[in-house]
Amino acid sequence: MLDKLFTTMQSGGALLTRDQIEPQYKWDLTHIYNDEAIWEKDFKWVEESLPNYKKFEGQLENKLLECIKFSEEVEIKLERLYLYAFLSKDSDTKVTKYLAMEERVKSMYSRLMAASSFINPEILEIPEDKLNEIINSSNEMKVYKHKLEELLRNKAHTLSKREEEILSMAVDITTIPYSTFSILNNAEMQFPKILNEEGNEIEVSHGRYGKALYSKDRSYRERMYKSYYKPYKEYVNTLTTLFNGNLKTKIFNAKVRHYNSAREAALFHNNIPVDVYDNLIDSVNQNLAPLHRWASLKKKILKLDELHPYDVYVSLFSPKEKKYTYDEARSLVLDALKPMGEEYIKSLNLAFNNRWIDVYETQHKRSGAYSSGSTFGIHPYVLLNWNDLLNDVFTLAHEMGHNMHSYYTGLNQPYPYANYTIFLAEVASTFNESMLLNYLIERADKDEKLYLLERYINDITATFYRQTMFAEFERDVYERTERGEALTSDTLRKLFREIYQKYWGPEMVLDEEEEFTWARVPHFYYNFYVYQYATGLAASEVLSHNVIKDGQKAVDKYLNFLKSGSSQYSLSILKNAGVDMNSPQPILETTRTMNSLLDEVEKLIS
């Protein structure tokens, strides 16, 4: 019945309402709260508990464990309240009750932060020998050893109470560059109109630009590409000012907190040495040959005199379109992940069979896909918007990677470590995608295999090479600013052009438009974020290859990785799993994979 309804919806009918979806395809939020009256009761409990923080203020040397356990109880309850409101709102964004519930929880978070703000500064005032004595005083207290050591690690970069207060007051000012860029980029920038593939006039937009780069019509790709960059060229001086303003705010914050550089400050949070960042860039720079080879192969297959940036994304191989129902995709994912063993498959089935996943697009449901992450004591949920495409199959595998990471972490770690860092966040998701790709490639006919090989190559190109290219540009602009150099629009254009040309090699003919890419990428405002896409993919490549090659031994290591949460630092957790991100090995493994994929493509088309 549902498949029939869904087919009608896809063919142009109205979107389904939630009550038209069979229960097994909707998440069951009664696992969080069986009754909204209980939600209200918990909310009231949190509200009434906040004043109790006062009794610990000035008393932490004697009441540290009691304070920590009280604060955990409040935080766990509030996270649960938020998860229910957030997922309920995303199920149907028109229901104002859930919007209001979410806002109430956010407001309560702010009150919690204010009520508990004394805790960390007061812990740091305890002499370290006394704090170590408290930590070792009981087994209960020893659980918090890593958490408190992490707090002490930040001591040198924690300012006085008054200075911290001033910095917190400045947040609204230091976020102006990004918020202004966001408004300009998403709301106020006017794009021109062009003719589409059918000769109809359309207005250029971010979404249409991304889609057009996959078009088989090269003249349309070029028109879209050149038109899309027109407003960035027009507003380049404004965008340069915002870009520099963002760099300078990050550098200011780093200096105030006594870091050697903005990059060190950004990486310090997850205890990642700048050497890891440099190792990624240096190792990729020594292994650009596979990307150059891909550029040459694309040019040859497309029969082009010149390869331009607007030719990078167009598909070379397009097999007959195949539809995948959600149930078929679920079976595919389970089959692809069989090498992970009985424990992992049992956990996946637990999620699939117990309504952890909201599958189909419905009226007013949030778009996109995500896994809800770690909420202590509650399994994670997954949101999808199923369209029966191969992309949806990969999205399912990807989000279930996140889901299993959060599930195993919550199952095996106490509250303070029942989460994981951003540095580790994309490892499990891309691991699942890699396992699925390898599984499908092994069983595909020639046309399907070429398409899947190209997909794999594009994943490495976009997530590994491109993000490392961005990371190198980001490193360079910060270092130049920290040396006192002025970054004009011409300087930024020249620097981006040189890096882009180096990565894509001699076959790439750069258009002037590509020099303005730095001006449109929001991630450059995120403070050394993009390198983690590349390190995450490199780590997942090593882990998936190890599982395929070494079997149960590698599976056990990988499961321990999923179960580790944040109980150790990220690099140690990865090293225990078999990946040393301090070494070139994961980068070399990824470039070797790309070369072997290119070998396969060339063999199939020869």
Side-chain angles (χ1 to χ4, degrees), residues 334-351:
L334 286 168
D335 288 341
L337 291 165
K338 267 183 185 170
M340 289 302 301
E342 190 178 334
E343 179 185 354
Y344 191 85
I345 296 300
K346 184 178 178 183
S347 300
L348 277 175
N349 276 317
L350 185 68

Side-chain angles (χ1 to χ4, degrees), residues 557-576:
K557 283 187 174 184
Y558 181 73
L559 291 176
N560 284 333
F561 160 76
L562 296 182
K563 295 171 183 178
S564 295
S566 56
S567 58
Q568 301 175 61
Y569 291 120
S570 301
L571 291 178
S572 298
I573 289 171
L574 276 178
K575 198 164 188 177
N576 292 339

Side-chain angles (χ1 to χ4, degrees), residues 359-520:
V359 179
Y360 294 107
E361 185 179 11
T362 53
Q363 290 181 26
H364 315 305
K365 179 181 170 181
R366 175 174 166 162
S367 62
Y370 63 72
S371 175
S372 66
S374 303
T375 302
F376 192 71
I378 302 292
H379 64 76
Y381 287 83
V382 165
L383 178 137
L384 302 171
N385 280 279
W386 200 261
N387 283 299
D388 283 357
L389 302 175
L390 182 61
N391 276 343
D392 294 308
V393 184
F394 279 96
T395 298
L396 177 63
H398 181 101
E399 298 305 339
M400 292 313 296
H402 287 308
N403 188 272
M404 290 295 102
H405 197 177
S406 298
Y407 172 64
Y408 278 114
T409 289
L411 209 59
N412 291 277
Q413 293 298 329
Y415 176 72
Y417 312 121
N419 49 55
Y420 42 85
T421 66
I422 294 294
F423 188 80
L424 299 178
E426 292 302 327
V427 175
S429 54
T430 51
F431 172 93
N432 275 15
E433 287 195 70
S434 180
M435 294 292 286
L436 177 60
L437 262 171
N438 281 301
Y439 176 83
L440 292 174
I441 287 168
E442 283 178 9
R443 289 156 179 80
D445 61 30
K446 181 182 174 180
D447 288 345
E448 289 174 333
K449 192 170 188 178
L450 281 168
Y451 173 76
L452 291 164
L453 288 167
E454 182 184 7
R455 183 189 178 101
Y456 207 153
I457 292 166
N458 282 336
D459 284 350
I460 294 172
T461 299
T463 308
F464 178 73
Y465 279 112
R466 183 172 173 81
Q467 299 305 326
T468 304
M469 177 180 73
F470 283 171
E472 182 171 349
F473 175 79
E474 191 171 13
R475 181 187 68 177
D476 289 357
V477 294
Y478 271 98
E479 287 182 350
R480 287 170 182 238
T481 305
E482 286 166 336
R483 289 196 301 265
E485 293 182 30
L487 295 182
T488 65
S489 60
D490 288 343
T491 306
L492 291 165
R493 288 172 59 189
K494 182 174 182 289
L495 178 60
F496 193 86
R497 180 185 186 92
E498 288 171 352
I499 293 175
Y500 189 95
Q501 187 74 69
K502 176 176 67 174
Y503 273 71
W504 276 98
E507 293 287 7
M508 179 62 71
V509 177
L510 254 72
D511 303 89
E512 181 192 49
E513 283 76 12
E514 197 62 40
E515 298 173 6
F516 293 84
T517 294
W518 59 268
R520 71 175 183 84

Side-chain angles (χ1 to χ4, degrees), residues 87 171 202 250 266 282 389 391 467 508 527 565 584:
L87 297 180
V171 167
I202 60 166
K250 301 297 193 296
D282 294 345
L389 302 175
N391 276 343
Q467 299 305 326
M508 179 62 71
N527 200 19

Side-chain angles (χ1 to χ4, degrees), residues 64-243:
L64 183 56
L65 180 60
E66 186 183 348
C67 178
I68 289 173
K69 292 185 81 64
F70 165 74
S71 192
E72 280 187 356
E73 189 178 5
V74 174
E75 290 170 20
I76 289 168
K77 199 87 79 175
L78 196 54
E79 286 174 13
R80 190 176 188 132
L81 288 163
Y82 182 75
L83 182 67
Y84 182 84
F86 174 75
L87 297 180
S88 298
K89 179 207 69 178
D90 282 0
S91 304
D92 190 338
T93 58
K94 291 283 280 185
V95 180
T96 56
K97 174 176 70 170
Y98 297 122
L99 288 167
M101 287 167 75
E102 185 185 39
E103 288 305 312
R104 286 168 65 195
V105 178
K106 286 180 179 177
S107 176
M108 189 65 74
Y109 263 117
S110 297
R111 292 169 61 186
L112 169 63
M113 294 298 290
S116 62
S117 62
F118 70 92
I119 294 176
N120 286 352
E122 195 169 316
I123 291 173
L124 290 173
E125 288 174 4
I126 300 172
E128 284 192 36
D129 56 345
K130 177 62 178 175
L131 186 59
N132 285 324
E133 186 183 315
I134 294 169
I135 290 169
N136 294 313
S137 63
S138 69
N139 288 333
E140 261 192 307
M141 197 65 225
K142 283 177 183 174
V143 170
Y144 302 97
K145 182 177 173 65
H146 178 63
K147 184 180 175 70
L148 292 169
E149 284 175 348
E150 172 65 1
L151 184 61
L152 289 173
R153 191 175 68 85
N154 284 274
K155 189 172 184 176
H157 305 291
T158 303
L159 308 178
S160 70
K161 186 176 179 181
R162 178 58 182 156
E163 288 169 329
E164 289 288 350
E165 187 180 341
I166 292 168
L167 279 184
S168 67
M169 289 164 62
V171 167
D172 288 343
I173 299 168
T174 56
T175 55
I176 285 173
Y178 174 66
S179 58
T180 307
F181 164 79
S182 186
I183 290 168
L184 179 64
N185 193 47
N186 295 311
E188 295 188 343
M189 199 172 273
Q190 294 295 308
F191 291 97
K193 292 180 179 178
I194 63 167
L195 297 180
N196 67 9
E197 296 147 302
E198 289 78 36
N200 299 318
E201 189 175 75
I202 60 166
E203 186 175 338
V204 173
S205 68
H206 295 301
R208 284 173 176 165
Y209 169 73
K211 189 176 179 182
L213 293 184
Y214 291 89
S215 170
K216 298 285 188 183
D217 184 337
R218 192 175 191 231
S219 62
Y220 172 55
R221 293 201 307 271
E222 183 179 3
R223 285 198 305 278
M224 177 63 80
Y225 177 79
K226 291 184 179 296
S227 298
Y228 179 73
Y229 276 95
K230 278 184 179 177
Y232 294 102
K233 294 162 80 169
E234 182 182 347
Y235 289 103
V236 68
N237 292 327
T238 300
L239 290 161
T240 301
T241 302
L242 293 173
F243 188 88

